[in-house]
Amino acid sequence: MSQERTEGDLRNTGLSLKHDREWDYELDRIIDAVEERDAEKVGLQFPEGLKRRGPAVADDLREELPDDVTVLLSGQPCYGACDLDTYMMRRTDVFVHFGHSPMKESEKIIYVPLFSNVDVFPIMEQAREEQLADPEDDPDVGLVTTAQHMNKFDEMREWLEERGYTVHTRRGDERLTHEGQVLGCNYASADVDADQMLYVGGGKFHPLGLAMEHPEKHVVIADPVNNVVTVADTEKFMKQRYASVHKAMDAETWGVIFCTKIGQGRWEKAEEIVENNDNAYLITMDEVTPDRLTNFGMDAYVNTGCPRITTDDGPQFKKPMLTPGEYEIAVGEKPLESLEFDTFHGTW
């Protein structure tokens, strides 16, 4: 039987078949905050992939906290640090957001990033052998990762430098907490003087966005969770975006979506589109889904909220769903070749 590891093989990655992974939930910090604030209610918010961890964390806290302290779990969808459960936040004395680094500092919110213990260096070695240029040919490489792996970022940089690379890193803007960090909506940390980028992290969600915003760069994905090395390929995505823009060129009525989530609103952009188009209608929503839009019966929609709603979920919508930049192309304000990836910069 072949011992060769295949895509999805979790051996030696810090994960087992039960998806067992050690996280630091920083329970002591949460307990201290409860005591300091004499809290009666504690709210816990987890991203979608970690919600199943919520009950166990709640159990651990309840063992340590006084009996009169209530621990609540947020059932609201959560895809980032911009996606806070404001209803729960207003109704709890301590609000804990797991899985993301702070986007905006607040005394009300405790951010627990949940750093990963996965060994990133075997997959980085594979990426070096298979996809990165030899340092004698091109020593410059940009390095980026996500919040879960920031605890090993300095080690990653040193590892590359020891192998002869000149590593380029930066902190993008105030939406980003750490140097070298990327979000699903912000890749400013990749704006470095290197033609090749090494993304270390799980999945293709972040590096595909990076490659779309920086199409001139060779984006190598070293995924230590799924144990695979790939290169971000934007061709399929770009074909989908061009197709959506073409379909929307015949639209007569437009729904302009303003997302009410605390970190995703671009009110001025939404208002500008409506003011300049008599056939555009402003729609406010928290969660943007195909079913919610169907009843409006518009010919096309413009999403001023999270860019990933358009790029990742776009094919699921029954009518064309465009970014603000794509809308300008569809109504003839910009040429088709100006199509680019939509990103967020700054905080709310």
Side-chain angles (χ1 to χ4, degrees), residues 230-297:
T230 53
V231 174
D233 183 1
T234 64
E235 182 179 0
K236 179 180 178 181
F237 167 83
M238 293 303 292
K239 286 181 179 178
Q240 290 176 344
R241 300 318 310 149
Y242 280 123
S244 293
V245 171
H246 275 292
K247 289 179 183 177
M249 287 179 176
D250 296 326
E252 295 183 5
T253 56
W254 291 86
V256 182
I257 299 167
F258 172 76
C259 185
T260 57
K261 290 184 177 181
I262 189 170
Q264 299 182 8
R266 287 185 280 185
W267 177 259
E268 291 180 359
K269 175 59 68 175
E271 194 174 39
E272 176 189 341
I273 295 173
V274 173
E275 286 179 352
N276 294 314
N277 187 338
D278 292 338
N279 294 315
Y281 304 87
L282 189 58
I283 303 172
T284 63
M285 310 180 77
D286 56 356
E287 192 73 8
V288 184
T289 65
D291 291 342
R292 288 187 171 192
L293 293 181
T294 298
N295 291 335
F296 285 103

Side-chain angles (χ1 to χ4, degrees), residues 85-218:
D85 186 342
T86 53
Y87 182 92
M88 172 179 277
M89 196 188 309
R90 288 193 297 267
R91 287 160 179 79
T92 52
D93 306 303
V94 172
F95 177 77
V96 189
H97 180 89
F98 292 93
H100 302 106
S101 56
M103 187 172 292
K104 187 179 182 67
E105 294 292 347
S106 169
E107 293 182 358
K108 177 70 178 180
I109 309 167
I110 296 176
Y111 289 93
V112 178
L114 293 182
F115 290 130
S116 168
N117 72 344
V118 172
D119 184 359
V120 298
F121 299 107
I123 205 67
M124 287 181 65
E125 176 63 28
Q126 185 179 335
R128 184 189 69 81
E129 293 175 352
E130 296 180 1
Q131 292 296 341
L132 289 181
D134 189 282
E136 293 184 1
D137 299 324
D138 183 4
D140 297 307
V141 59
L143 176 65
V144 292
T145 188
T146 58
Q148 276 66 51
H149 301 285
M150 288 308 310
N151 56 325
K152 295 185 178 179
F153 187 74
D154 289 339
E155 294 177 54
M156 295 180 204
R157 176 166 44 200
E158 292 172 4
W159 188 93
L160 288 167
E161 290 173 344
E162 289 170 357
R163 284 151 183 79
Y165 291 98
T166 301
V167 183
H168 299 264
T169 63
R170 67 186 293 263
R171 179 192 171 196
D173 62 22
E174 64 268 30
R175 198 173 181 87
L176 299 157
T177 307
H178 304 286
E179 179 180 352
Q181 181 185 6
V182 292
L183 304 175
C185 62
N186 187 303
Y187 307 97
S189 292
D191 189 13
V192 295
D193 190 18
D195 293 331
Q196 54 184 345
M197 297 295 304
L198 178 62
Y199 164 83
V200 181
K204 299 180 181 180
F205 178 85
H206 293 83
L208 184 59
L210 192 162
M212 289 184 289
E213 185 171 1
H214 297 278
E216 76 285 357
K217 295 184 184 295
H218 178 65

Side-chain angles (χ1 to χ4, degrees), residues 56-75:
V57 175
D59 284 343
D60 288 344
L61 283 172
R62 287 190 293 201
E63 285 184 11
E64 302 295 331
L65 293 174
D67 292 339
D68 59 349
V69 176
T70 302
V71 180
L72 299 85
L73 294 171
S74 172

